[in-house]
Amino acid sequence: MKKLLRALVLFVSFPIFAQQGGMWVPSLLKGMNEKEMKSLGMKMSVADIYDVNTSSLKDAVPQFNGGCTAEVISAKGLLLTNHHCGYGEIQSHSTVEHDYLQDGFWAKSYEEELPNPDLEVTFIVSIHDVTKDILKGTETLTNETEKKSLIEKNMNDLQKSYKREDWQNVMIRTFFEGNQYMLFVTESFEDVRLVGAPPSSIGKFGSDTDNWVWPRHTGDFSLFRIYADKNNRPAKYSKDNVPYTPKHYFPISINGVEQDDFTLVYGYPGSTQEYLPSFAVEQIINDLNPAKIEIRDKALKVSDGFMRQDQTIKIQYASKYARIANYWKKWIGESQGLKKSDAVAVKKSFEQEFLKRAKKENKMNEYGNLLPQFEKIYKDITPYAVSRDYFMEVVLRNNELLSVGFRLFQLENAYEKVGEQGFNDRKENLIKGLESLYKDYNKNVDQGIFEATIALYGTKAPQNLTPDAIKNKDYSALANTVYSKSALTSYEGLKKLLNGKAVDVIKNLHKDPGYALAKELSNNYFKNIAPSYDKMDLELGALQRTYMKAQLELFPDARIFPDANSTLRVTYGKVNGYQPSDAVTYSHVTYLDGVMEKYVPGDYEFDVPKKLIDLYNAKDFGQYADKNGKLPVNFIATNHTTGGNSGSPAIDAYGNLIGLNFDRVWEGTMSDIHYDPAICRNIMVDARYILFIIDKYADAKHLIDEIKIAKPKENKKSKR
């Protein structure tokens, strides 16, 4: 273990300066990372970025609602994140009469700011390596299930016993596939109110057509405010709460960016798989992505058809459509990027070098059989993995009737395990939890999605793992039967179905065709798919952990960073254009001119508000134009980002906010699996465009007065 921990330290101290991506733990930047950042132009110290004892940049970067990032931009808790991160909250406050998605929203006072009951932001207080505590007692265990059980026990014990303040929480995450564990002390604020959002014609300009691509012209931002109790501590929503006073907040630069400027992106990247073997990448390209892409393609076409014809449906399904479309398009770009960069061949080449080093270090007995084992298990698990994706995509993610049916399936199982009282408690929670789903539910849309996606499941999933109930059916007739007779197509029907004693409820559930189908699909998954998949997936996890350990040992001078896992990370790079294909070269910045070039009156993706057109025609850009008199909108850089980095602050060499991360270029979406510095670029909203929209378009000058505007290139040195 001591040798492995020494290897973990080596990866942050070896002086390599070729910027090749990376998502780095901010408490471990001293050494190689600091030298590399300095070589790229950073003027701060690593203590400016992360410090436990005094305020630092980390104190202004919370996780936003568990899936995005945000940043504090004023001394009064004003919070900036993406429009698409706040989309659900903006939608929840929208009606046909007051459509904030279409028209935007700007609170003119604290009293007008809108509360969001289910929204929270979480700050990292400190980070600690607890590997020894978590792996204690596992050294002699060979059974993976026993090892996993002991690790979970050690984690639970430490989470309960670790010293922190009453209002703080503790979470523990694994790094390097279980070779390292880090503990995070956190503070979560649950009173977060909507302050401002541009209309979707700005915040979502280009919509799904432009999603994941460059050049981009999107003002993807929204504003919230954190509220705390009178002691500046986390508290549930209350009218007595006051704006939060942060430990640190970002000044916003209006100097702009130029080619080769240093950029740092700070946030909570969700998940990456940078160290997979070639067999896993082949599976993703050839089997998993094609199935998921086709399912979502069908679902999106149905939703789009209804949304274009009905404004109410458009409002109901806007957030859901965006969520489904986001990864549909990402998977398409990911597959194309993996093929274009020849990722499988790159992996195979690395594997040959891996074997050479294992042989040279006399490690063949320990590591020599890893790759053949990977090859066999990936071959065996593929049909189960594909069937699993069909179940997840069709039943749980794209069809709402079936997803409700699955929750009812879990409710019935709860009755068998915990009895009447436990059933009733879960039933009431389920009824309450599903109210918001049915608020944005349309039976006709859902039926269309059901018919299109269940047909794919029934005909294209591995037939030996597909239930008879959906194999080779008249899918139109099946959809008509389910949606004409099931009570699950309305909230009132659901509540009526669940009314009564547990025995009667379950009896009535079994008579409902929607539930009956969801139960058969669920039973098939848990009996025929999950057991084999989970067993082999556990084996793959153990192999991957050993493979990661081997890479750290055999490549001690390599630039190895831990895969993303929704914990706080730093990624740094430079502002840079790129060449996606032969004879095509993209600049690093786009302007408001490009918005007008894309403008299509009345089009839901490319319409432009009249006031923005008027401001453009008058060239009324205020102090936010660049030196050529043009208004920048978006820019790109080489920062290594992924899902979860949406809303991350883009920070300059001095620690000032210069932009807001919101996307990646399509050709580089495969960076979750294989980062290629030639084509991987992250996309950011220029801070000047954000300020321009707040100031000139929304006339929210009270917010501009609240923000500290900086000109960092006039600075001489960092604060440390």
Side-chain angles (χ1 to χ4, degrees), residues 383-384 386-387 390 454-473 475 524 528-529:
Y384 296 95
V386 172
S387 293
Y390 271 103
I454 206 74
L456 290 177
Y457 192 176
T459 58
K460 292 199 170 185
Q463 290 295 286
N464 63 317
L465 298 174
T466 302
D468 292 335
I470 61 169
K471 283 199 291 191
N472 302 314
K473 299 292 182 181
Y475 297 104
N524 176 75
N528 299 323
I529 300 170

Side-chain angles (χ1 to χ4, degrees), residues 284-302 324 327-329 331-332 335 386 389-390 393-394 398 448-449 451-461:
I284 290 168
I285 295 172
N286 299 329
D287 301 295
L288 303 185
N289 277 2
K292 293 186 291 186
I293 289 166
E294 187 175 23
I295 292 166
R296 293 201 176 194
D297 185 64
K298 294 286 188 182
L300 290 167
K301 285 179 179 175
V302 172
I324 296 300
Y327 266 77
W328 162 77
K329 194 166 185 177
W331 290 325
I332 295 172
S335 294
V386 172
D389 277 349
Y390 271 103
E393 287 294 316
V394 174
N398 286 282
I449 292 172
E451 182 178 336
T453 58
I454 206 74
L456 290 177
Y457 192 176
T459 58
K460 292 199 170 185

Side-chain angles (χ1 to χ4, degrees), residues 354 366-375 542-544 546-547 550:
F354 174 87
E366 191 173 354
Y367 302 135
N369 199 40
L370 280 174
L371 295 172
Q373 287 178 289
F374 271 131
E375 183 175 21
L543 284 176
Q544 191 69 40
T546 303
Y547 189 43

Side-chain angles (χ1 to χ4, degrees), residues 251-257 621-627 630-632 652 656-659 686-692 695 704 707-714:
I252 301 183
S253 166
I254 58 171
N255 271 14
V257 298
F621 304 146
Q623 62 181 329
Y624 311 114
D626 71 2
K627 59 187 177 183
K630 300 171 71 174
L631 182 66
D652 70 6
N656 300 291
L657 191 76
I658 52 174
D686 194 296
R688 291 168 292 179
Y689 190 56
I690 294 172
L691 294 176
F692 163 79
D695 187 349
I704 296 296
I707 295 166
K708 181 180 179 181
I709 295 177
K711 294 185 177 181
K713 292 178 183 178
E714 297 175 359

